[in-house]
Amino acid sequence: SRFKSFSEKAQKMKAEHDDLLDSYHSLKTVCDKATNTLLSSIPNLDKSLDLASLCRVVAESFEKLDATSGQIQDQKEHLKQRLEELESSSKKYQTDKDKKQKELDQLTSQVKDLSRANQAHENKLAKLKSLLRRATNNLEENKQKLKESKKSYEKAHKSLAQLGLQLQNGWYAPG
């Protein structure tokens, strides 16, 4: 039973050892890939450098990347601020556009109302012109009738004056 227990412990330790080896190889693969990626990202890198020189080159590259990252962050902040300004300007423009559209709609409505009122006034004016023409025609007819009446009056007055003369003379002969 002791042997069995020892054998189980040994197998368990062997399995843990194998798991650790697998983890080590996985980590080494990841580290190798990361190192290769890092080294390939540094242009003109001398592959024959010792570890200390390589670390210095990598550190310098990180400093450059950090500085570039800072510049990019500054540019990002500037672009973000510019975007906010443009959004604000766009909202202001949209608000102004909406106000102008509302004003245009109101003016269009007023123009339509004035156009209808103008049409009504033009209709009234046309009726008044028609009435004025009829009144002018009636006035001309009345003028003509007045002339004829005046002639008739003058004729009758002349006849009456003749009749008066004849009556004064004592002689009347209807003619």
Side-chain angles (χ1 to χ4, degrees):
S1 112
R2 281 177 106 190
F3 179 71
K4 190 176 181 184
S5 171
F6 179 75
S7 176
E8 287 174 0
K9 283 183 185 179
Q11 285 178 352
K12 192 174 182 183
M13 288 175 75
K14 171 81 170 124
E16 287 176 5
H17 178 266
D18 290 343
D19 288 344
L20 286 173
L21 276 177
D22 288 343
S23 294
Y24 166 77
H25 288 298
S26 295
L27 282 173
K28 185 174 183 328
T29 303
V30 169
C31 285
D32 288 345
K33 284 183 182 178
T35 302
N36 288 336
T37 302
L38 177 64
L39 295 178
S40 67
S41 70
I42 301 172
N44 303 324
L45 179 67
D46 183 5
K47 305 287 186 198
S48 65
L49 292 176
D50 64 347
L51 187 58
S53 299
L54 187 59
C55 287
R56 193 174 348 95
V57 169
V58 169
E60 289 171 1
S61 292
F62 276 141
E63 287 174 8
K64 287 178 188 174
L65 286 174
D66 192 39
T68 303
S69 175
Q71 290 173 347
I72 290 172
Q73 187 63 32
D74 291 345
Q75 288 176 347
K76 178 184 170 189
E77 289 299 319
H78 175 72
L79 290 175
K80 184 179 176 184
Q81 183 180 8
R82 182 70 180 132
L83 178 65
E84 289 171 357
E85 290 171 0
L86 289 174
E87 286 174 346
S88 174
S89 176
S90 175
K91 286 178 186 175
K92 183 178 182 266
Y93 171 78
Q94 186 64 37
T95 302
D96 289 348
K97 180 183 165 210
D98 291 344
K99 285 180 184 176
K100 294 290 183 190
Q101 184 62 45
K102 188 176 181 180
E103 187 177 333
L104 178 64
D105 292 344
Q106 288 175 342
L107 289 174
T108 302
S109 176
Q110 289 175 353
V111 166
K112 287 179 182 178
D113 292 345
L114 290 173
S115 179
R116 283 191 293 270
N118 186 42
Q119 186 62 43
H121 288 301
E122 284 180 1
N123 291 343
K124 286 179 184 178
L125 183 60
K127 287 179 184 177
L128 288 174
K129 283 181 180 178
S130 175
L131 287 173
L132 183 60
R133 273 194 298 275
R134 277 195 271 154
T136 304
N137 288 342
N138 288 342
L139 186 60
E140 288 296 323
E141 288 175 12
N142 289 343
K143 227 181 185 183
Q144 190 63 33
K145 287 178 184 176
L146 184 61
K147 281 182 184 177
E148 290 171 6
S149 294
K150 188 176 178 185
K151 284 181 185 175
S152 294
Y153 168 75
E154 287 174 355
K155 201 176 188 183
H157 186 45
K158 197 176 187 183
S159 295
L160 188 59
Q162 259 182 354
L163 184 59
L165 277 175
Q166 287 176 357
L167 284 176
Q168 272 180 356
N169 293 334
W171 181 84
Y172 172 71

